[in-house]
């Protein structure tokens, strides 16, 4: 059921489906499916560990996912059945009416983007153990605290930092998932914050954990997804948060936005990475005696975003580890190009069949 209230926004036709493990909504040519199950069992963990090649986080939700599917502007996906007695449900589609674009978020794919092997500049590998003394030997005044030097401690990044923003699984083989650089002069190439702050009805919401690890009691590493669907748009926040006690904080966010009412149909992907020293962020606590905000990913992200980007997002800063995930970029995928591509492939196929028929005649 929709929540919130805003009479000015009309709610379009849509269909919902909810089970104990999955929820889905079909709306405006889209099918969005969230799956949320308990922590993976031993057999599932062994299989995934063999696949990704590293030890898995303590809490691994290998069956969880978020899948976005777009069926095109002419699709009837999301339109209620015309017959009142129809048994049609979410997931029922006409023959041949498959998605033109599919984008997925999965824990296994995120772990495949965790650095493995000897560390190189930009990998952001960090060390714990005697961290306080280590930091004291490498830091200056609080306002100018440099980040600790990168030190390889394991054959993979044990903090589970993924350079992963979801991935396009259909069509396959697209460079950069089909996204290109956004035009900073085009207002449609940015996420409209004011629109997302409106009290529009929320037709669909899900929060999905992918993995979490306490880093052997040395901090926190957590990866989660949130999605909400409003009458005119969908918005996703895919967030990785890292705290290494006494060393650093790191945040890697991917935001996905799509408007159901704008033309051309664009998907905006906003990717941002921040980090700062543990000492610097700890100094921002409202109550120095209360350390609980240091375990709150939302508070950590909010504080990092409030700090000067020159100190939190600049890889060349002397206060930075040089981690390659730092910085910000906005990218855009034009879904109408996928329609043109599909129509072109269909036309080529029809012409090829005609040539075969002509030769047989």
């Amino acid at each position: 059921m929709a929540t919130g209230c805003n009479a000015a926004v009309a709610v379009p036709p849509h269909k919902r489906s909810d089970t104990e493990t999955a929820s889905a909504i079909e709306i405006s040519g889209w099918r969005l499916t969230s799956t949320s199950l308990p922590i993976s069992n031993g057999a599932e963990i062994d299989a995934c560990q063999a696949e990704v090649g590293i030890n898995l986080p303590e809490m691994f939700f290998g069956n969880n996912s978020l899948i976005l599917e777009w069926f095109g502007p002419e699709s009837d996906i999301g339109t209620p059945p015309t017959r009142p007695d129809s048994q049609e449900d979410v997931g029922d589609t006409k023959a041949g009416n498959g998605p033109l674009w599919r984008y997925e978020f999965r824990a296994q794919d995120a772990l495949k983007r965790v650095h493995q092997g000897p560390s190189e500049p930009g990998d952001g590998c960090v060390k714990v153990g005697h961290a306080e003394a280590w930091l004291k030997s490498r830091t200056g005044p609080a306002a100018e605290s440099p980040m600790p030097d990168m030190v390889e401690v394991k054959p993979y990044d044990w903090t589970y930092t993924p350079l992963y923003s979801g991935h396009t699984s259909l069509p396959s083989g697209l460079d950069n998932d089909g996204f290109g650089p956004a035009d900073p002069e085009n207002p449609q190439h940015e996420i409209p914050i004011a629109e997302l702050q409106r009290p529009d009805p929320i037709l669909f919401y899900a929060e999905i954990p992918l993995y979490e690890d306490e880093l052997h009691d040395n901090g926190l590493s957590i990866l989660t997804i949130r999605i909400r669907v409003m009458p005119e748009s969908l918005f996703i926040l895919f967030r990785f948060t890292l705290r290494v006690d006494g060393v650093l904080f790191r945040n890697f966010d991917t935001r996905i936005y799509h408007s159901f009412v704008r033309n051309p149909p664009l998907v905006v992907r906003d990717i941002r990475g921040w980090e700062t020293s543990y000492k610097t962020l700890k100094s921002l606590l409202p109550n120095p005696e209360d350390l609980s905000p240091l375990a709150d990913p939302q508070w950590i992200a909010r504080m990092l975003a409030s700090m000067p980007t020159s100190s939190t997002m600049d890889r060349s800063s002397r206060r930075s580890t040089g981690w390659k995930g730092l910085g910000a970029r906005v990218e855009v995928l034009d879904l109408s190009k996928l329609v043109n591509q599909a129509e072109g492939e269909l036309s080529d196929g029809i012409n090829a069949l005609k040539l075969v028929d002509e030769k047989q005649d």
Side-chain angles (χ1 to χ4, degrees):
M1 179 178 295
T3 60
C5 56
N6 188 347
V9 177
V11 176
H14 62 283
K15 294 187 292 186
R16 283 287 307 266
S17 175
D18 298 282
T19 67
E20 291 184 0
T21 59
S23 297
I25 184 171
E26 292 184 351
I27 182 171
S28 301
W30 288 80
R31 178 188 298 140
L32 313 167
T33 307
S34 68
T35 302
S36 187
L37 285 89
I39 296 172
S40 298
N41 61 37
E44 292 168 340
I45 288 174
D46 289 343
C48 184
Q49 193 161 291
E51 178 184 354
V52 302
I54 62 175
N55 294 328
L56 301 189
E58 294 167 336
M59 299 176 65
F60 177 70
F61 300 87
N63 296 307
N64 289 3
S65 65
L66 176 65
I67 300 177
L68 320 179
E69 295 175 296
W70 183 68
F71 291 79
E74 304 302 323
S75 171
D76 61 357
I77 292 294
T79 303
T82 54
R83 299 197 326 271
D85 61 342
S86 173
Q87 298 300 310
E88 181 183 0
D89 198 356
V90 169
D92 294 336
T93 59
K94 297 178 181 179
N97 190 24
L100 298 176
W101 185 67
R102 182 187 297 118
Y103 197 81
E104 305 184 20
F105 298 89
R106 297 182 184 274
Q108 295 94 322
D109 294 297
L111 290 175
K112 290 176 183 177
R113 298 298 303 275
V114 170
H115 176 74
Q116 298 187 45
S119 64
E120 298 179 357
D123 291 332
C125 299
V126 295
K127 175 183 178 179
V128 297
H130 308 293
E132 183 176 357
W134 184 48
L135 272 175
K136 283 182 178 179
S137 69
R138 291 167 171 81
T139 57
E144 295 293 326
S145 297
M147 294 297 297
D149 292 336
M150 292 181 297
V151 179
E152 180 189 352
V153 293
K154 292 190 178 183
Y156 64 92
D157 179 5
W158 66 283
T159 68
Y160 299 108
T161 299
L163 281 174
Y164 175 70
S165 297
H167 67 282
T168 294
S169 58
L170 181 73
S172 60
L174 296 179
D175 291 339
N176 196 38
D177 294 314
F179 287 82
D183 178 359
E185 303 299 322
N186 188 339
Q188 292 197 36
H189 286 198
E190 61 184 26
I191 296 178
I193 302 302
E195 175 188 315
L196 295 176
Q197 292 175 339
R198 294 186 325 213
D200 291 351
I202 297 176
L203 309 180
F204 181 82
Y205 176 83
E207 182 171 355
I208 310 160
L210 292 187
Y211 60 73
E212 183 174 344
D213 195 286
E214 293 185 350
L215 307 179
H216 306 286
D217 295 325
N218 287 295
L220 176 70
S221 174
I222 183 169
L223 184 66
T224 59
I225 319 167
R226 292 181 181 179
I227 177 174
R228 59 185 168 111
V229 179
M230 291 71 68
E232 295 184 349
S233 63
L234 66 86
F235 177 71
I236 295 165
L237 173 59
F238 183 50
R239 169 167 288 167
F240 171 77
T241 304
L242 173 67
R243 184 191 83 239
V244 181
D245 292 337
V247 183
L248 61 76
F249 286 88
R250 179 179 291 164
N251 202 71
F252 191 62
D253 281 356
T254 298
R255 290 171 170 82
I256 301 282
Y257 170 84
H258 171 74
S259 170
F260 300 137
V261 297
R262 292 182 181 179
N263 194 38
L266 303 178
V267 178
V268 181
R269 184 168 71 173
D270 185 308
I271 303 172
R272 298 173 187 261
W274 301 261
E275 68 179 14
T276 194
S277 69
Y278 183 93
K279 181 179 180 180
T280 298
L281 199 67
K282 185 180 177 182
S283 70
L284 301 178
L285 286 169
N287 178 2
E289 302 300 320
D290 179 12
L291 302 183
S292 60
L294 301 182
D296 180 358
Q298 294 189 59
W299 185 86
I300 294 169
R302 189 165 62 251
M303 292 301 101
L304 285 171
S306 71
M307 298 170 66
T309 57
S310 59
S311 64
T312 59
M313 303 179 82
D314 185 356
R315 292 180 60 188
S316 64
S317 169
R318 76 178 187 88
R319 296 188 294 272
S320 164
T321 64
W323 174 51
K324 64 184 69 174
L326 296 179
R329 70 180 190 270
V330 183
E331 304 169 330
V332 175
L333 169 66
D334 187 343
L335 293 171
S336 64
K337 293 182 179 179
L338 297 180
V339 175
N340 296 335
Q341 177 182 334
E343 291 176 346
E345 291 175 352
L346 178 60
S347 177
D348 291 343
I350 292 174
N351 290 335
L353 289 174
K354 288 181 178 179
L355 288 174
V356 171
D357 291 340
E358 290 174 357
K359 289 180 179 179
Q360 291 177 345
D361 292 341

